[in-house]
Amino acid sequence: MAEEAVKTTSKSELAYEWLRERIARHEYGPGYRLVLAEIAGALDMSVVPVREAIRRLEAERLVTFERNVGARVAMVDQNEYVHAMQTLGVVEGVATALSAPQLSEENIARARRVNERMIALLDHFDAHEFTALNQQFHSLLFACCPNPQILELVHQGWTRLSGLRDSTFAFVPDRAHRSVEEHEEILRLISEKADPLDIEFAARNHRWATMQAFLDARERANR
């Protein structure tokens, strides 16, 4: 029985990682219905570990369960988006500030090259590619954060918002131009070994500015 339980746990972990990755990549977008039998078939396992994986994702608020409908990838309403972005701005700002002293010149150069690729996209804008590069840019800056708990909160925040990120830049494409300028400012502060609070505030306000641009655009659209 113990061996069987271990196998079930292992399969549940596999199903969890498989589903979480697809939600993060926006392959399974908001509202996508998660059919147990289909997922189990794709993973060549029974529905039991898949159900356990979905319960974990539900606890993380990445999945919701509706009576007579089943499990779906969670929708993010405007209020929840604001709260999530505010939280991510705070924890990512701290993570970036703590990571800054650990970043090598090569780390910074790599981040700058990613931002240059983002700038090159501005004339022929691709929201999906821009979003992927944006995540890569920020990941390079906070990856060296020595506090694993803060780092985990950052990753959770990015995953929680993954269903909205493409729509944010697609909905507010002008924000992309200002975003890459703010990236350069954050890189300048890190390169010059600025006060950690200045780096933290720059990273936090960068995230909040994206949130505000989204809200302003929504307000204009609803007039």
Side-chain angles (χ1 to χ4, degrees), residues 75-95:
M75 301 292 290
V76 183
D77 64 25
Q78 182 168 306
N79 288 335
E80 190 171 356
Y81 171 78
V82 169
H83 297 159
M85 283 290 276
Q86 287 174 338
T87 302
L88 181 58
V90 171
V91 295
E92 189 178 310
V94 174

Side-chain angles (χ1 to χ4, degrees), residues 86-157:
Q86 287 174 338
T87 302
L88 181 58
V90 171
V91 295
E92 189 178 310
V94 174
T96 302
L98 291 174
S99 178
Q102 317 298 324
L103 294 174
S104 67
E105 290 185 7
E106 176 55 27
N107 291 142
I108 297 171
R110 286 175 62 195
R112 184 163 279 116
R113 287 195 294 270
V114 172
N115 199 46
E116 288 170 355
R117 290 171 62 191
M118 295 175 73
I119 293 170
L121 280 176
L122 294 177
D123 291 335
H124 303 284
F125 194 63
D126 181 326
H128 180 76
E129 186 175 354
F130 189 89
T131 296
L133 289 171
N134 186 55
Q135 182 166 1
Q136 186 180 343
F137 173 85
H138 286 288
S139 295
L140 286 167
L141 298 189
F142 63 65
C144 294
C145 175
N147 187 317
Q149 294 184 27
I150 291 176
L151 199 55
E152 182 180 358
L153 289 173
V154 175
H155 287 304
Q156 287 178 359

Side-chain angles (χ1 to χ4, degrees), residues 151-166:
L151 199 55
E152 182 180 358
L153 289 173
V154 175
H155 287 304
Q156 287 178 359
W158 274 87
T159 300
R160 184 74 193 94
L161 287 164
S162 62
L164 277 179
R165 289 197 176 276
D166 281 358

Side-chain angles (χ1 to χ4, degrees), residues 28-78:
Y28 292 170
Y32 184 91
R33 190 175 172 218
L34 300 171
V35 181
L36 292 178
E38 289 182 2
I39 297 168
L43 294 172
D44 193 23
M45 61 177 66
S46 73
V47 297
V48 175
V50 174
R51 185 179 292 113
E52 292 175 357
I54 287 177
R55 283 174 182 160
R56 264 181 84 181
L57 292 166
E58 186 178 5
E60 294 178 6
R61 302 178 70 186
L62 294 175
V63 168
T64 58
F65 189 87
E66 302 174 35
R67 187 184 297 274
N68 300 323
V69 175
R72 291 183 182 275
V73 176
M75 301 292 290
V76 183
D77 64 25
Q78 182 168 306

